[in-house]
Amino acid sequence: MKVLKMLVLRRASGFCPGKCRDLSRPCRVRDLSTTASRNTVMPAWVIDKYGANEVLRFTKNMIFPVICYPNEVIIKVHAASINPIDVNMRNGYGARALNMRRDPLIMKDIGQEFPLTLGRDVSGVVMECGLSVTYFKPGDQVWAAVPPWKQGTLSEFVVASANEVSHKPKSLSHTEAASLPYVALTAWSALSKVGGLNGKNCKGKRVLILGASGGIGTFATQLLKAWGAHVTAVCSGDASALVKKLGADDIIDYRSGNVEEQLKSLKLFDFVLDNVGGGTEDWAPKYLKKWSGATYVTLVTPFLLNIDQLGVADGMVQTGFTMGSKSLKHLCQGIHYRWAFFMASGVYLDDIAELVEAGKVLETSTTNLSLTYVSVGQIYK
C-alpha cells in the first residue's frame, strides 16, 4: 500500500515512477521546457521494429529522458553521427544480447525496447546533472559515445552516465566532435586496452592496419603515429592519399594485387589491427614476429551473431569455445590472439581530447565528416 501511494505521489509531482531501483529516492526532475508538451516529450528519430530504412520514423513525441541515477547527466544534442553499428542495429543485429543488457532479469516482454532511438555519438551541452556529478555542470560543452544498449543520440536530448562523458575539445565544432567518439573509443580499446599499446611502449613498433581508410582505421593510424609507431596501411587506391596524409608510412592497395604477396616484401610486424575480418584472419597473423610478444587484434567477432542465432546460453558457450580455441592455436604459434570491442569511457575521451587539442588527431573528424555527420538541428526541419 505504501509503495502504491508513493507511485501515485510521484506521478502527481512529476517524478519518474517505476524506473528507479530505490523507490524511497525520487528522481531529479528537470526545469526545462523544450517542446509544446511541457517537459514530457521531444523530437527524435526512432524505430518501432527491426528492418530496412523504411522502419525509421521521425516523431515529436518521444518521451523526454530523465535522470534516475545520481551519476547521470542530460545532454542537449547539438550534433550526432551515424556509424555502421547503427545500421546493423536497425536490422536487428545483436538484439538478443543488447536486450539482455537492457533487461538482465527478463522482466519485460519481447519488443519492449521499442520505440528505440539509434545513434551513438553526441556533441552538445549539459542541461542537468545528477546529485553525485561534480566534474560537469549545466552549460558545459561535452562529447560522448553512448553504449548500444541505451537510447541513442538521434534526439533532442539524451541521458548518459557521467563516466561516459568528456569535455569537448575546444578546437572542434560540435559537428566535427560528433564524428569522432565512437570510432576513437573503439580504436583506443583495440590498441591500448586490449592490445597493450600506449605512448610509452609503442615507439618504433611496426603495426599493420587492415581496413585503414574507415573511421576506426583513420583514427588508429593517427593515434599510432602520435605514439611513435611505424604504420603500414591496407586500403583501396583511391583512399591512399588520405591515409598517407594521416601519417601512414607504407600503403598497400588491395585492389592492385594480392595483399599477401605485397606484404612478403616488407618486414614482419609487432601488431596487426584487423577491421575487415573474414578471410584476413587466416593469413594476417603469419606476418607477425613469432615468439616476441606480437599481437593480432580483430574487431570482427562472432559474439553478438552467436547469441542472435543460438540464444544467450548456447551463444555464449559457442563464443567462449571459439575464442579459447583460437587463442590457444595462435599462442602455440608464438603470437597473441585477441578480440576487441567498443568501450564507452569518458576518461579515454579526456586523453583523446588532449591529442586533438595538440593537433595530433584531427583529420579523422574532418575527412570523415561527409560520411558520418548528421546535424540534429537539421533533421527536425
Side-chain angles (χ1 to χ4, degrees):
M1 186 67 181
K2 288 184 178 180
V3 172
L4 179 61
K5 183 177 180 181
M6 186 171 294
L7 291 178
V8 172
L9 288 173
R10 283 189 173 186
R11 289 190 178 96
S13 61
F15 291 120
C16 169
K19 293 185 179 181
C20 298
R21 294 179 180 177
D22 185 0
L23 291 176
S24 66
R25 178 186 60 78
C27 298
R28 292 192 62 189
V29 295
R30 57 209 166 272
D31 298 320
L32 312 173
S33 180
T34 61
T35 61
S37 300
R38 182 180 179 89
N39 294 349
T40 58
V41 295
M42 65 177 179
W45 280 95
V46 301
I47 60 173
D48 300 303
K49 61 180 180 179
Y50 298 116
N53 280 339
E54 58 267 16
V55 302
L56 288 166
R57 174 174 65 89
F58 176 71
T59 178
K60 294 184 178 180
N61 297 306
M62 186 63 178
I63 297 175
F64 199 101
V66 296
I67 290 177
C68 282
Y69 298 97
N71 68 328
E72 291 180 332
V73 298
I74 293 178
I75 302 170
K76 179 173 176 57
V77 180
H78 282 225
S81 67
I82 297 174
N83 292 282
I85 184 65
D86 298 305
V87 179
N88 292 333
M89 285 178 62
R90 182 210 64 195
N91 292 331
Y93 172 73
R96 279 192 175 186
L98 295 176
N99 282 337
M100 181 180 66
R101 180 63 177 81
R102 295 177 184 122
D103 184 26
L105 298 180
I106 316 178
M107 302 288 289
K108 300 178 182 178
D109 296 329
I110 295 176
Q112 288 300 300
E113 69 268 31
F114 302 116
L116 182 64
T117 306
L118 301 177
R120 310 270 57 92
D121 292 311
V122 60
S123 181
V125 175
V126 174
M127 299 299 293
E128 185 180 352
C129 298
L131 293 174
S132 68
V133 176
T134 58
Y135 191 59
F136 303 101
K137 64 182 184 301
D140 284 351
Q141 297 191 32
V142 296
W143 63 343
V146 179
W149 55 85
K150 294 186 177 182
Q151 287 287 19
T153 61
L154 298 181
S155 57
E156 189 178 17
F157 293 86
V158 66
V159 64
S161 167
N163 297 327
E164 300 160 356
V165 182
S166 170
H167 288 102
K168 180 184 74 67
K170 295 179 181 179
S171 60
L172 297 183
S173 67
H174 285 296
T175 300
E176 292 170 331
S179 70
L180 196 55
Y182 186 84
V183 294
L185 288 172
T186 304
W188 193 282
S189 166
L191 296 174
S192 183
K193 189 70 174 179
V194 176
L197 299 180
N198 54 58
K200 297 180 180 179
N201 66 11
C202 205
K203 186 174 180 60
K205 288 193 175 182
R206 292 178 54 78
V207 180
L208 173 65
I209 301 179
L210 304 176
S213 61
I216 295 172
T218 52
F219 180 84
T221 298
Q222 296 174 92
L223 182 59
L224 288 165
K225 292 307 298 180
W227 287 346
H230 180 284
V231 176
T232 298
V234 177
C235 60
S236 62
D238 55 4
S240 60
L242 165 64
V243 177
K244 188 71 174 178
K245 182 180 180 182
L246 298 180
D249 300 283
D250 297 316
I251 297 176
I252 294 178
D253 179 4
Y254 65 83
R255 292 178 178 173
S256 65
N258 186 280
V259 175
E260 294 184 62
E261 291 298 322
Q262 296 181 68
L263 286 173
K264 287 180 180 179
S265 62
L266 302 178
K267 295 180 181 179
L268 294 177
F269 297 93
D270 300 290
F271 194 98
V272 173
L273 176 62
D274 189 352
N275 300 303
V276 178
T280 58
E281 192 170 305
D282 297 329
W283 55 261
K286 70 182 181 183
Y287 293 100
L288 286 166
K289 299 175 183 177
K290 305 299 188 292
W291 308 108
S292 64
T295 304
Y296 170 89
V297 176
T298 179
L299 287 162
V300 184
T301 74
F303 174 64
L304 293 180
L305 188 62
N306 282 344
I307 292 180
D308 284 342
Q309 294 179 344
L310 303 176
V312 175
D314 290 343
M316 294 186 72
V317 170
Q318 180 62 47
T319 299
F321 175 79
T322 300
M323 178 62 188
S325 60
K326 288 187 175 183
S327 296
L328 181 60
K329 170 189 171 183
H330 288 87
L331 188 61
C332 292
Q333 296 173 353
I335 60 175
H336 299 290
Y337 176 91
R338 300 284 187 269
W339 288 354
F341 304 90
F342 159 79
M343 295 182 183
S345 172
V347 175
Y348 291 163
L349 279 177
D350 287 343
D351 293 334
I352 293 167
E354 290 183 9
L355 292 173
V356 172
E357 296 288 27
K360 296 181 178 179
V361 176
L362 178 61
E363 293 295 331
T364 298
S365 61
T366 56
T367 53
N368 289 344
L369 203 54
S370 61
L371 297 178
T372 59
Y373 153 63
V374 175
S375 169
V376 176
Q378 290 182 356
I379 64 175
Y380 299 141
K381 293 181 179 178

